[in-house]
């Protein structure tokens, strides 16, 4: 089984910073894409950032310049460093793993970690 365990969420004032971590365990394919998504109350889940095993990175527009995604392959851990947080960043943040193979994609999600940014 593959399991994703997130940590690092919490309460922070506007302008503050948080660093989220997601540790993956189990049988992880070498070809994969890891990322962070978020979902605010009453809104659909949206992409924050993704990073591939080859090092390619993509950010949502709202994350550019403020959020940084990185991956420690030896630890099977992906991070999301968030700075200059805004109240609108308040959401449950989810870690995602997609393992790719010919003809198949295996998708996994973490349990989510709450990020609350106060005014």
């Amino acid at each position: 089984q593959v399991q994703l365990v997130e940590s690092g969420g919490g309460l922070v004032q506007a302008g503050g910073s948080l660093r989220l971590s997601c540790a993956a365990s189990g049988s992880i394919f070498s070809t994969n894409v890891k990322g962070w998504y978020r979902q605010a109350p009453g809104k659909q889940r949206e992409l924050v950032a993704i990073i591939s095993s080859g090092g390619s990175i993509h950010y949502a527009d709202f994350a550019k310049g403020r959020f940084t995604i990185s991956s420690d392959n030896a630890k099977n851990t992906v991070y999301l460093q968030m700075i200059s947080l805004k109240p609108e960043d308040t959401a449950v943040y989810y870690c995602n793993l997609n393992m790719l193979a010919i003809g198949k994609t295996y998708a996994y999600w973490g349990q989510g970690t709450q990020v609350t940014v106060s005014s």
Side-chain angles (χ1 to χ4, degrees):
Q1 297 183 14
V2 173
Q3 185 176 13
L4 306 178
V5 179
E6 297 144 310
S7 62
L11 299 169
V12 65
Q13 292 183 321
S17 301
L18 285 173
R19 189 184 191 223
L20 308 183
S21 299
C22 174
S25 62
S27 299
I28 309 299
F29 296 169
S30 59
T31 301
N32 62 75
V33 178
K34 298 175 180 176
W36 292 93
Y37 292 71
R38 71 184 188 183
Q39 187 168 20
K43 298 183 179 180
Q44 64 181 300
R45 190 173 299 185
E46 63 181 344
L47 172 73
V48 177
I50 55 174
I51 182 169
S52 75
S53 54
S56 298
I57 294 174
H58 173 76
Y59 294 100
D61 286 342
F62 66 80
K64 294 177 181 177
R66 296 193 300 124
F67 296 179
T68 302
I69 189 170
S70 61
S71 179
D72 185 334
N73 291 328
K75 296 181 178 180
N76 281 325
T77 301
V78 63
Y79 305 92
L80 184 69
Q81 178 68 55
M82 304 184 291
I83 65 171
S84 301
L85 285 164
K86 306 173 182 179
E88 51 262 45
D89 294 320
T90 296
V92 177
Y93 284 69
Y94 296 91
C95 180
N96 170 258
L97 168 67
N98 287 279
M99 299 191 295
L100 308 177
I102 298 175
K104 289 186 177 180
T105 300
Y106 303 89
Y108 301 90
W109 293 90
Q111 80 286 354
T113 183
Q114 177 70 48
V115 172
T116 302
V117 184
S118 64
S119 301

